[in-house]
Amino acid sequence: MKLAVIFPGIGYHVDKPLLYYSKKIAEKYGYKTIPVPYGNFPSGVKGSAKKMEDSFYSALAQTEGILKDTDFAAYEEILFLSKSVGTAVAAAYGQNHSLTTRNIYYTPVGPSFPLMNQPGIVFHGTKDGWVETELVKEECKRRRLPLYIIEEANHSLETGDVRKDLVNLQFIMDKTEAYIENGRNVKES
């Protein structure tokens, strides 16, 4: 049995494109999926280290409650699909419970990187207002995490040009599917 747990971001819930389609792909490959619908975050988190930290701890506490009855030992493979602050929550939760996971990290925020010690792939947009591209590049290199950069894309990996966003989403989901299906990282094409 295989399990995929979906960790949303602040304002980026599981029905938005990155998480919606990656969930569908995971299900296609036989993963049972569990969304972690935490919420009730303060407003004005962006730019406030204190509110970001509070949001992280709130999401982590909610995750503990949501997943308290999940028997992770029953699964031969655990995949975490995470977005933004969810990348930190997923990584911390995995560490706190000594889980071995594979990960798809969509637009991790700076504080996520020290926690990201499990294998995975990372997606980042060059116009992401939450974290600098150079920091993402350095941290991914340090952790040997393959990084897929989406030029001109924001924190939702969108550019504002719908056609370009659809092409980018196809690329992102192709890489996501290859990672889910093969359990390995795929080369940039």
Side-chain angles (χ1 to χ4, degrees), residues 21-32:
Y21 288 113
S22 59
K23 174 182 180 269
K24 295 286 188 188
I25 292 168
E27 289 171 343
K28 172 183 170 183
Y29 289 99
Y31 287 81
K32 174 185 176 183

Side-chain angles (χ1 to χ4, degrees), residues 9 16 26 28 41 45 55 116 126 129 146 154 157 161 167 182 186:
K16 288 204 173 186
K28 172 183 170 183
F41 296 110
V45 174
S55 296
M116 291 167 54
T126 60
N154 64 18
L157 296 178
D161 177 332
V167 169
N182 300 317
V186 291

Side-chain angles (χ1 to χ4, degrees), residues 163-181:
R163 291 193 183 275
K164 186 172 189 168
D165 290 344
L166 290 172
V167 169
N168 287 341
L169 184 61
Q170 179 69 51
F171 170 82
I172 294 163
M173 289 303 120
D174 286 347
K175 298 302 180 189
T176 294
E177 182 168 11
Y179 183 76
I180 290 172
E181 177 186 18

Side-chain angles (χ1 to χ4, degrees), residues 73-107:
Y75 297 93
E76 61 198 45
E77 185 177 325
I78 302 167
L79 174 69
F80 284 173
L81 305 169
S82 57
K83 170 74 174 83
S84 187
V85 73
T87 62
V89 175
Y93 184 86
Q95 283 181 11
N96 292 349
H97 293 273
S98 301
L99 299 175
T100 300
T101 62
R102 291 189 318 119
N103 295 270
I104 299 174
Y105 301 109
Y106 295 114
T107 66

